[in-house]
Amino acid sequence: MGAKRALAAGVLMLALASGCSSGPDSANKTSNDGRPTSAATPPPTGAGAGAADNEWRIPADRVAGSMELAGYADHVSVRSGEPFRLFVTSSAHAFTVRAFRIGWYDGAGAKLIWTSPSMPGTSQPKPILTRDRMITAINWSPTTTVQTNGWPAGSYLLLLRASNGQENYVPIVIRSGSARGAVLIVSGVNTDEAYNGWGGYDLYVGGRKHTHDQRSLMVTFDRPYGYNPARGVLHDNLPLVQQAERSGVPLAYATSVDLQADPALLNGARAIVFGGHDEYWSLPMRQAVTKARDAGTNLAFLGANSIYRRIRYAADPHGPNRIIVDYKDAGLDPTHNAPDTTVNWRQNPYPDPENSLVGMLYECHPARGAFTVREPNFFLFAGTGAKVGSAYPGLVGNEADRAYPIAGTPANLQVVAHSPTTCDQRHTFSDATYYTVKSGAGVFATGTIEWVRALQGPDKEYGVGPAATAFAQKVTSNLFTALAAGPMGRTHPAIGNLPAVRALPTTTTGTGGPIGNSPGPDND
């Protein structure tokens, strides 16, 4: 929802470890007491895991231009052992590809899994601009097919390096075969693609003047990422994955697309965790996650602005679910009176605000505030030393959510933090919440995008200091332990307190817009 927050062109301050793969996903097994165990990826450690690899970092003067060296994969995810094709343009320079798996690795941040031989550079054709103002590189020829035998499940960055020293990234996920018995980490690739401005168009602006009326009505995964090709991975996924793997709990990995393409992946998952910014959801995605919650799978939303935009997928010659359709206007959408009309989830037709799943509504951008504890005895705050009114400056940042006493808000919603927040000239609140359902599942939401970014360390941009980072890290560590233990509501039932917060039912304090009132087709 908010403006793009790009890192300084590719100055990526992470040290990575190099070494061998720890092996592919194992098949589901049964423990000695007969309980199914997961095919989850164990937290990677081991010999050489802490050794730095400074070659991974891309200095600002080595970031390649948009057609100088760039690429994309024909899948957002594959299972270990499945191949994928790379489509790369490299103007007159040979290049190599290195696959880095992000993770904890004793604090190193990632590990080299695979290196390609040198390949000749080929200049691909200019991308196509469709009548829906979608930029696509579907007209590119495949450069190579990458085999993933032995690659462990996880989130990867493919580092392209040309012989002239220029570099770029292609993100991809090696998804788990099953999340049974594991905590599933979901990479928000829909949102990454929505903000991808490669070729001059994204779902927000387009054309020579980068205006909203010239925005793309559809975007495709069949193009490289622009301006910061690892934006979503670095901002909203990497710190979370590091914290998760450090916790030692069984983990599984997937993307937004996989929630629709393979909903059975969620069967038996202990929990599903969403990172800092996961704004764009299809109807089948939401149905799959809701079904999992109602079967006892915990949920954690460690950001804000989740499930704000309703999208559809479409196919292209590379396969299903390669195009994200989002007209952002029922009048423009040919499917204009349907449950999957591409408007905001809270808008007509068929409004279904995100609060029924997240617990809260998106409130505003640009948000700034101190995360302020309301209930220090909340079980996830254990060991933080927090008291009533303890405030952690900067931890509310970029975008924020707020709890509202409206239809769809869980009756037992527990507001555990209630933080005074400013959004430009607006004064409002950002909340952190928890609720439980009949299946025993618990749902925790931080209500701030800055939460995941703060896990990596202090952030001068938002004023996040060491105390806020330590608080976020401890709460997140407690969270992963609780998620992996099973349905949180069985041992920690939510204690509803929203009336005591005295929140108003109107959304006028924020920038997310009003709630629609159409129960079905919009006949206006």
Side-chain angles (χ1 to χ4, degrees), residues 487-499:
M488 294 190 295
R490 294 179 183 174
T491 51
H492 301 285
I495 304 172
N497 65 356
L498 183 56

Side-chain angles (χ1 to χ4, degrees), residues 200-201 204-215:
Y201 289 80
Y204 292 87
V205 297
R208 293 182 178 180
K209 296 183 178 181
H210 297 283
T211 57
H212 182 69
D213 67 323
Q214 292 298 304
R215 70 190 183 278

